[in-house]
């Protein structure tokens, strides 16, 4: 008698949990396009197709236990709805809450970012591309730097006809031989070290080779000159 | 006084290829360096010679186009040099610039000869380092051309490749250019001018001929095969006239000094470029 309601109660709890679990699943997407590559997608008809990748649309409702790569708080992965960690790459004002922000120059905190061709050669200032305050995070949906509009909002200011593919040029490229490059731009790293090894290898071979040729010929000449005086032929 | 017998080494068209390569290569180095070193005092100076940052790029592009055309013409010329009745023998024979097993053997012999442990390798028409010289340019030019065209038309490039391929192209273009410049201005100039058997200048590429005696000493297998096939008489050449020698000595040294000037300043100012 007494066991039946208990079994029923456990059953109800399990059903409720299962129903709750369904809520944890990501909502079905309205359109799931198979994208061969960014180039192909962006080639000509980027906007006219109406298809967008996930990072291009407004953030959907936050899901607990869905981690953001590299961010973990406590025992559980970072959960935007449960924690108060600021992920700087996703803020409307990326410099929000930084002490004495207004007294700082950009390069005070971003020295590596001032070593690119745009800054060094074309003498661009940071704000010419990144805009005035507040400077939005790179992954903030409404940022002008969002890949869906960067080519039009930023690059095309100077580069007429800039496409989204063109805008995937890495402005602040890492030092090509650094471990940072290996992580974020492996091909650049590989090309750099391939060319460096080729350069050093070629010179390391041919400079001693030429020098030894010179030294050896110096001795040969002297010997032959002596021989010529002795023998006539 | 009987003139010393000479044999032909380079035809007029081959010398013209070399001459045009010299001029275009030097222009590309100067205009390219003037942009690479624009952040330095020296870079600004040579940049001013070419009329500023944009103008030097314009010159760089047009000279690049001339080089690409030259490369195509040269490749066509290469095909005309193949004896199409015996193509395999012609391409892989000893008159050819294509590397072969004998080059490896010669290299080993030459290392021994450096230290007096063996006799001079019997080189044929082209020594292995001359072949390296040739093929280094032959693969370097298309690499610079392809990456150069990519950078020349970034919008078109990014239609066919992702935009970040321009990062790679810029790096490759610069790295290959530095490789070519250091190799030519150090190794090639040393071989052509400084080593005792060439000093003060190896004239073969300008006069087109070499004294038979010198060829016999440097490339005995070549002279021998000419003798055996009875072609030695056919390739005999006249000595270059004096005024011509004066002209190419002055020209050669001007190029040498300018190249070394660019190289030394390039090394000195390398740290101030300001890029990664």
């Amino acid at each position: 008698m007494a066991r039946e309601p208990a079994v029923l109660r456990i059953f109800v709890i399990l059903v409720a949990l299962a129903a709750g679990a369904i809520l944890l699943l990501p909502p079905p997407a309205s359109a799931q396009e198979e994208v061969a590559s960014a180039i192909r997608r962006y080639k000509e008809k980027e906007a006219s197709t109406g298809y967008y990748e996930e990072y291009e649309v407004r953030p959907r409702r936050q899901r607990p236990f869905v981690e953001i790569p590299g961010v973990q708080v406590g025992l559980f992965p970072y959960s935007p709805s449960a924690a108060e960690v600021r992920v700087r790459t996703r803020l409307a004002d990326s410099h929000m809450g930084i002490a004495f922000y207004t007294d700082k120059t950009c390069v005070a905190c971003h020295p590596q970012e001032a070593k690119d061709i745009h800054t060094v050669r074309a003498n661009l200032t940071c704000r010419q591309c990144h805009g005035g305050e507040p400077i939005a995070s790179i992954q903030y949906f409404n940022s002008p730097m969002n890949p869906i509009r960067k080519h039009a909002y930023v690059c095309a200011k100077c580069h007429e006809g800039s496409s989204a593919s063109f805008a995937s040029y890495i402005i602040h490229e890492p030092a090509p031989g650094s471990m940072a490059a290996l992580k974020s731009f492996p091909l650049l790293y590989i090309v750099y070290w391939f060319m460096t090894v080729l350069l050093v290898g070629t010179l390391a071979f041919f400079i001693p080779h030429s020098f030894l040729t010179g030294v050896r010929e110096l001795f040969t000449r002297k010997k032959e000159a002596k021989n010529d005086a002795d023998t006539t032929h | 006084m009987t003139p010393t017998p000479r044999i032909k080494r380079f035809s007029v068209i081959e010398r013209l290829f070399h001459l045009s390569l010299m001029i275009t290569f030097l222009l590309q180095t100067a205009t390219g360096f003037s942009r690479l070193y624009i952040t330095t005092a020296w870079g600004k100076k040579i940049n001013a010679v070419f009329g500023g940052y944009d103008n030097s790029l314009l010159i760089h592009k047009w000279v690049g186009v001339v080089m690409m055309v030259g490369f195509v013409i040269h490749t066509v010329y290469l095909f005309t040099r193949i004896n199409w009745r015996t193509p395999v023998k012609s391409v892989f024979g000893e008159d050819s610039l294509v590397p072969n097993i004998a080059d490896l053997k010669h290299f080993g012999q030459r290392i021994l000869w450096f230290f007096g442990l063996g006799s001079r390798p019997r080189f044929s028409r082209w020594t292995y380092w001359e072949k390296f010289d040739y093929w280094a340019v032959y693969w370097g030019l298309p690499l610079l051309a392809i990456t150069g065209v990519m950078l020349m038309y970034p919008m078109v490039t990014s239609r066919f490749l992702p935009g970040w391929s321009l990062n790679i192209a810029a790096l490759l273009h610069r790295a290959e250019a530095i490789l070519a410049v250091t190799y030519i201005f150090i190794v090639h100039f040393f071989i052509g001018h400084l080593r005792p058997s060439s000093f003060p200048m190896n004239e073969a590429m300008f006069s087109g001929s070499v004294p038979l005696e010198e060829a016999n000493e440097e490339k005995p297998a070549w002279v021998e095969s000419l003798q055996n096939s009875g072609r030695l008489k056919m390739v005999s050449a006249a000595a270059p006239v004096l005024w011509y020698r004066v002209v190419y000595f002055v020209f050669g040294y001007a190029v040498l000094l300018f190249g070394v000037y660019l190289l030394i300043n390039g090394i000195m100012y390398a740290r101030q470029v300001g890029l990664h």
Side-chain angles (χ1 to χ4, degrees):
Chain A
M1 265 299 281
R3 286 187 69 180
E4 256 186 29
V7 172
L8 192 70
R9 212 174 297 143
I10 290 167
F11 178 74
V12 169
I13 289 168
L14 281 178
V15 168
L17 278 177
I22 289 169
L23 290 176
L24 293 178
L25 292 174
S30 54
Q32 291 195 330
E33 183 204 19
E34 281 192 2
V35 178
S37 74
I39 327 153
R40 198 177 155 70
R41 252 179 49 76
Y42 280 127
K43 215 167 175 183
E44 260 149 8
K45 297 167 182 158
E46 43 203 315
S48 63
T49 56
Y51 292 117
Y52 294 99
E53 285 181 359
E54 192 165 345
Y55 67 87
E56 297 168 337
V57 294
R58 272 174 200 285
R60 289 179 290 185
R61 71 184 161 74
Q62 307 282 16
R63 280 167 275 146
F65 305 115
V66 176
E67 71 180 292
I68 289 169
V71 178
Q72 182 166 358
V73 179
L75 203 57
F76 297 102
Y78 165 76
S79 161
S81 58
E84 285 190 4
V85 170
R86 246 177 235 132
V87 180
R88 292 235 171 254
T89 54
R90 290 167 191 235
L91 296 178
D93 177 7
S94 57
H95 299 108
M96 187 172 101
I98 289 175
F100 309 114
Y101 175 65
T102 47
D103 296 337
K104 285 177 173 157
T105 57
C106 305
V107 285
C109 298
H110 305 285
Q112 291 299 311
E113 271 63 34
K115 289 188 171 180
D116 62 303
I117 285 183
H118 283 72
T119 317
V120 173
R121 299 270 187 86
N123 293 325
L124 288 189
T125 63
C126 308
R127 297 218 183 272
Q128 277 173 285
C129 300
H130 290 276
E133 294 300 329
I135 295 174
S137 299
I138 214 85
Q139 285 174 345
Y140 177 66
F141 175 75
N142 290 315
S143 166
M145 287 287 183
N146 188 314
I148 61 172
R149 62 178 81 87
K150 183 165 124 190
H151 56 287
Y153 276 61
V154 184
C155 306
K157 282 186 197 172
C158 300
H159 299 277
E160 192 183 349
S162 156
S163 66
S165 164
F166 176 79
S168 77
Y169 170 83
I170 313 293
I171 304 280
H172 301 292
E173 62 175 19
S178 66
M179 291 315 282
L182 177 62
K183 216 172 171 187
S184 66
F185 201 165
L187 191 57
L188 193 78
Y189 178 86
I190 292 164
V191 165
Y192 176 84
W193 282 110
F194 175 78
M195 293 308 289
T196 305
V197 167
L198 194 68
L199 171 72
V200 173
T202 306
L203 294 181
F205 178 85
F206 275 103
I207 289 177
H209 180 271
S210 311
F211 185 70
L212 281 168
T213 303
V215 169
R216 187 64 180 81
E217 277 176 0
L218 212 59
F219 297 146
T220 314
R221 282 250 148 159
K222 277 182 182 165
K223 220 169 87 189
E224 273 167 8
K226 215 201 274 170
N227 287 351
D228 283 352
D230 296 340
T231 54
T232 44
H233 47 98
Chain B
M1 192 179 93
T2 50
T4 51
R6 296 174 74 90
I7 55 173
K8 193 175 153 187
R9 183 146 172 82
F10 296 110
S11 69
V12 176
I13 188 162
E14 284 156 0
R15 285 182 268 157
L16 280 175
F17 277 133
H18 184 257
L19 180 69
S20 51
L21 188 62
M22 280 171 88
I23 294 167
T24 50
F25 185 82
L26 215 60
L27 273 171
Q28 291 301 70
T29 311
T31 50
F33 272 25
S34 82
R35 283 174 67 87
L36 179 60
Y37 289 92
I38 189 69
T39 46
T40 70
W42 173 65
K44 286 193 180 80
K45 229 186 286 171
I46 49 171
N47 203 272
V49 176
F50 295 105
Y53 195 65
D54 292 336
N55 237 345
S56 63
L57 180 62
L58 190 69
I59 296 168
H60 195 81
K61 284 175 179 173
W62 277 108
V63 175
V65 169
V66 171
M67 283 178 109
M68 283 186 257
V69 171
F71 179 81
V72 172
I73 295 174
H74 181 78
T75 305
V76 172
Y77 173 74
L78 276 190
F79 279 94
T80 67
R81 299 309 295 161
I82 298 172
N83 184 350
W84 289 103
R85 283 193 199 132
T86 54
V88 176
K89 200 175 151 235
S90 173
V91 172
F92 298 101
E94 57 176 12
D95 252 4
S96 163
L97 277 160
V98 177
N100 51 34
I101 302 289
D103 291 326
L104 278 178
K105 210 178 75 192
H106 288 159
F107 170 62
Q109 288 172 343
R110 195 166 168 84
I111 296 294
L112 292 176
W113 174 77
F114 281 160
F115 300 100
L117 300 171
S119 57
R120 236 174 221 267
R122 289 178 60 79
F123 288 120
S124 192
R125 184 164 180 186
W126 311 109
T127 64
Y128 60 86
W129 67 86
E130 286 165 350
K131 289 179 181 180
F132 183 90
D133 253 22
Y134 179 81
W135 292 110
V137 180
Y138 200 87
W139 86 275
L141 261 177
L143 180 65
L144 287 166
I146 291 166
T147 53
V149 169
M150 281 173 73
L151 295 167
M152 221 159 131
Y153 302 106
M155 297 303 165
V156 180
T157 303
S158 60
R159 279 171 66 113
F160 300 102
L161 292 168
W164 52 259
S165 62
L166 295 169
N167 292 74
I168 306 286
L171 176 64
L172 266 177
H173 196 85
R174 197 192 315 162
E176 174 58 30
I178 289 170
L179 174 60
V181 165
T182 46
Y183 182 82
I184 296 295
F185 294 168
I186 297 175
V187 177
H188 189 70
F189 280 3
F190 183 89
I191 293 290
H193 288 270
L194 264 185
R195 68 177 184 141
S197 69
S198 299
F199 189 81
M201 179 169 167
N202 190 331
E203 299 170 47
M205 201 25 118
F206 296 96
S207 65
S209 59
V210 285
L212 182 59
E213 201 184 334
E214 190 190 307
N216 219 345
E217 196 180 300
E218 294 251 312
K219 285 146 182 138
W222 179 37
V223 178
E224 198 179 277
S225 86
L226 285 174
Q227 247 159 1
N228 290 345
S229 61
R231 281 181 295 157
L232 196 58
K233 280 264 165 59
M234 284 160 62
V235 296
S236 74
V241 289
L242 191 60
W243 70 263
Y244 181 49
R245 283 190 77 189
V246 171
V247 167
Y248 67 60
F249 256 80
V250 170
F251 176 72
Y253 266 91
V255 171
L256 173 76
L257 290 176
F258 191 47
V260 171
Y261 164 78
L262 287 173
L263 180 71
I264 290 175
N265 278 287
I267 294 169
M268 270 165 49
Y269 285 92
R271 292 205 143 184
Q272 297 173 29
V273 169
L275 295 173
H276 273 310

